[in-house]
Structures are given as structure tokens and as C-alpha cells.
Amino acid sequence: LSGCRAFRVIEWFLQRKIAIVDISAGSDEVRSHSAAISKEGELFTWGYTALCGHSEHEYSLDLPELSQTSNKSSIVFPKLVESFENEKILRVSCGGSFTLAITQHWEAYEEKRTLWSWGCISNGRLGIGRFEISRRSYQKSPTRLVSLDGYFIVDVSSGSSHALALDRDGKVFAWGNNEAGQCSFDFNKFGENVLPQQMNRSIWDDVYVPHQVLVPIPAVSVAAGSHSSAVIDLVGRLWTWGRNSKPCLHQSTSCHVNSILSGFMRLPRYATPRIARPLKHLLIKKVCLGDGSGLAITNDGQIYCWCNVDSAALPSQPSPDKFPSLVGKRIIDADIAGNHLIVQEEPSVKENIGSKLFQQINRHEKLYIQNGG
């Protein structure tokens, strides 16, 4: 649907009477893919073939591009990912050329959770270990993150090239690209994990397997953006870290920049989670991050946004503030990606048709009605 500016129904699911309970979409500069979970816990994917988790396909970024006229380069219709025969899919998150999924299975009447990843292996974004960095290939089929096997994972979020996971005890784990400190990993202390030939390259600070992020209070939600990360703690406070090109969340220009980055662009960054000061007096229930932008929804349904880049979707405001056109509305859900966002408003008592969806593309607001029965 490249270049498509209007919604259309995916008839494939309707024709097969498949009820969908969760969806996700991911993209880098040129490749996009989508995923959906059925009510029965099956996972369906479509988009760029090498990102869809189907084991019969394997391509490398170093190989010539497949013919765009061939149906081998893209999966047009949703296709069942068959690697999870004995697992139920609970959660899926698509990022920049990779995907994460949480599955459930039972052992001796005890529920177990497993985290899986597939897609592009560069930057350690799959969390399955170090690969030869000169060959940026794809992991064609879902692979288990064995380092998290002992944890009961309840939430996951994929960014552009890093990821976050949350277990039921509130522990936060991060891995992948750490060039802006978004994995909260200080390589001045952990230099033994870095290959010597990587020390003077921007890729030197990749985190190849999940490690725990030291958030002072247990978390209940995680969000990964382009070069930043965020969590919401048990009491509803928002913590953020990673790139902070303007003092939008911490009201401070001090930053953690590794001195070893000689010859590499020095970008202000926070490697340690800090409370988002402009929002510290609010109770946050959801946060989502984009590329230099973000949204936060409070418990009373107010939506705050911040944006440090030219965006067609968000007003330019480096410090969090209420979204101008949504003031007075009670918001229950939202998401942001690239130059578009979607916001769901809580219906009033008199409304019986369900929730309203506000979508803003290229600064033009449109109102969509989602029938609720």
C-alpha cells in the first residue's frame, strides 16, 4: 500500500472469518511489513518477504534486490507463520526490519512465556548474539531469545534498531543499537563485550543480547522509539533515556557521551533512565515514541505530545504539552509512526456506536467511526 492515503478493509481476514485481536506494523526507509494475531493465537504476516518469518525464504541485504515485478519480494496477502505450532501468540511488535513476538505454552499446568525474534540481524536488534558485522543478512525464521527463557515476559516494544522487553516483576531488558544510549548500556564499564575492530565505528556499541535496565521502580509498560526508550513505573511516572537532541524531557543540557566516540558525531544522550520532569506530576498510562517525537496519555485521558523534528503529524514543540486539537477530549489509546498518528477517543455515555478514531496525516484531521456493536 505504498503511497496509499486512504484506509481499506483487508478482505482476506473477513473472507476466512478470522477475528483479529492485535496488530503491528514496522518499516525502515524502504521495507515495510505488518503482523496480526488472531483470536485463536495464530500469527499472520505480510509485506517484505524476508521480514515475515516464513522459513522457506532467506535473503541477504548484500544480494541484488529481487525483481519488484516478482511476487517473491513481497507477500501481498496475510500468511500464517507456521513456526509456532504448539505456541499461542500473545503479543507482536514490528520494528525497523525486524519483529518480536511473545508466545505462551503450558508445562505441567504452569504457564510459560517465550520471546522470539526474526528479521535483519544488524545492530544486534534480534537479541540472539553477535554475528559477522560485514554481512547484514536476515534471520529468516523466528528464533528464541534463550537469554530470557527464565523470565515471564508480558510486554515488548520494537524501535528502529533496538528493543525493550518487560517481565511480570517489572524488570526491563534492552538490546540492539545503542549509539544514543537507548539501551542504557555504558561501554566504558563493559568494554570487554566490544570487538576491538569496532571501537572506532558507530556500530561498536551494539548490545547483542538482552541486559537489564536499572529502573529504580518496577515498570508496567515499555516503549522503544527511533533512538530513545521509555517506561512507565508502578506509580504512573514516565522515565526516558536515549537521544535528547533538545532538552524536551529532562530540562537539562547535560548528557552522557562516551569519550571513546572519537571521529563520530557527538549526539547528546542519556544512558540512564530519568524521570520526564515536565510530566512528573501526572499519572501516565501509555507512552509511544517516534523519531524525535512522542505521545503520553494520562489516567484522566489527556494527551501530551512533544516533537523536535519537522513532522506532518505533530505540532513542533520540544517540551511536552497538550495536543492542541484534542484538548477537552478523553483519549484512551494512541500510536505514532513516521508522519502519522492515530488516536482513539472514549465514547460518551450517549454514544452507542463505539469509539472515534482521529487520524491526522499531513496536518489534515479526519474522523473515522469504528462500529462497536
Side-chain angles (χ1 to χ4, degrees), residues 226-253:
S226 178
H227 294 88
S228 58
S229 301
V231 301
I232 301 172
D233 67 21
L234 276 174
V235 296
R237 292 182 299 184
L238 178 63
W239 299 72
T240 64
W241 64 97
R243 180 167 297 173
N244 189 37
S245 57
K246 294 181 181 179
C248 57
L249 291 179
H250 305 293
Q251 296 181 340
S252 170
T253 56

Side-chain angles (χ1 to χ4, degrees), residues 165-176:
L166 175 71
D167 79 350
R168 63 180 169 188
D169 296 323
K171 297 185 180 72
V172 178
F173 302 89
W175 63 94

Side-chain angles (χ1 to χ4, degrees), residues 8 22 24 44 95 181 186 237 241 245 273 303 321 329 332 369:
R8 70 173 178 85
D22 191 20
S24 185
F44 298 86
D186 187 352
R237 292 182 299 184
W241 64 97
S245 57
I303 184 168
D321 201 356
K329 301 182 184 297
I332 59 177
I369 303 298

Side-chain angles (χ1 to χ4, degrees), residues 329-333 343-347 354-358:
K329 301 182 184 297
R330 188 176 178 88
I331 305 303
I332 59 177
D333 201 3
V343 178
Q344 185 176 9
E345 181 191 16
E346 183 181 61
S355 301
K356 295 178 180 179
L357 293 179
F358 293 88

Side-chain angles (χ1 to χ4, degrees), residues 212-358:
Q212 187 175 347
V213 178
L214 299 181
V215 182
I217 298 178
V220 297
S221 181
V222 295
S226 178
H227 294 88
S228 58
S229 301
V231 301
I232 301 172
D233 67 21
L234 276 174
V235 296
R237 292 182 299 184
L238 178 63
W239 299 72
T240 64
W241 64 97
R243 180 167 297 173
N244 189 37
S245 57
K246 294 181 181 179
C248 57
L249 291 179
H250 305 293
Q251 296 181 340
S252 170
T253 56
S254 63
C255 56
H256 171 85
V257 180
N258 252 314
S259 59
I260 201 169
L261 287 175
S262 58
F264 182 65
M265 183 183 298
R266 291 175 175 264
L267 297 172
R269 68 183 192 172
Y270 290 91
T272 304
R274 301 186 180 193
I275 293 177
R277 293 183 182 178
L279 301 174
K280 67 179 181 179
H281 299 301
L282 301 174
L283 297 179
I284 307 298
K285 70 175 183 179
K286 179 169 182 178
V287 60
C288 45
L289 302 175
D291 185 4
S293 59
L295 296 171
I297 303 176
T298 64
N299 278 358
D300 61 357
Q302 299 300 304
I303 184 168
Y304 290 78
C305 66
W306 57 94
C307 186
N308 288 325
V309 297
D310 293 332
S311 172
L314 294 173
S316 178
Q317 49 189 47
S319 295
D321 201 356
K322 290 183 179 180
F323 200 103
S325 60
L326 296 177
V327 173
K329 301 182 184 297
R330 188 176 178 88
I331 305 303
I332 59 177
D333 201 3
D335 201 4
I336 181 173
N339 284 332
H340 69 281
L341 65 93
I342 187 168
V343 178
Q344 185 176 9
E345 181 191 16
E346 183 181 61
S348 65
V349 176
K350 296 181 180 179
E351 289 177 326
N352 296 318
I353 56 177
S355 301
K356 295 178 180 179
L357 293 179
F358 293 88

Side-chain angles (χ1 to χ4, degrees), residues 90-230:
L90 299 180
R91 180 86 167 85
V92 64
S93 178
C94 299
S97 293
F98 74 111
T99 304
L100 300 172
I102 302 173
T103 63
Q104 174 198 60
H105 68 277
W106 296 84
E107 293 180 6
Y109 302 102
E110 182 181 1
E111 182 183 1
K112 301 289 186 178
R113 298 283 180 92
T114 304
L115 184 58
W116 305 78
S117 66
W118 63 92
C120 180
I121 68 172
S122 66
N123 302 109
R125 69 190 74 184
L126 298 188
I128 56 177
R130 182 185 288 120
F131 289 82
E132 176 56 48
I133 63 173
S134 64
R135 225 181 135 253
R136 298 175 62 240
S137 61
Y138 291 109
Q139 169 61 40
K140 59 181 180 179
S141 58
T143 300
R144 198 173 88 251
L145 274 73
V146 294
S147 60
L148 293 179
D149 274 353
Y151 297 92
F152 195 92
I153 303 299
V154 297
D155 195 15
V156 68
S157 180
S158 303
S160 294
S161 53
H162 79 291
L164 301 177
L166 175 71
D167 79 350
R168 63 180 169 188
D169 296 323
K171 297 185 180 72
V172 178
F173 302 89
W175 63 94
N177 189 334
N178 191 48
E179 66 179 358
Q182 61 264 48
C183 289
S184 187
F185 201 73
D186 187 352
F187 278 90
N188 281 333
K189 297 179 181 179
F190 300 96
E192 67 272 14
N193 293 324
V194 185
L195 293 176
Q197 61 267 32
Q198 293 177 308
M199 298 299 277
N200 292 320
R201 301 173 60 175
S202 62
I203 199 174
W204 71 270
D205 52 4
D206 291 347
V207 179
Y208 296 98
V209 294
H211 81 102
Q212 187 175 347
V213 178
L214 299 181
V215 182
I217 298 178
V220 297
S221 181
V222 295
S226 178
H227 294 88
S228 58
S229 301

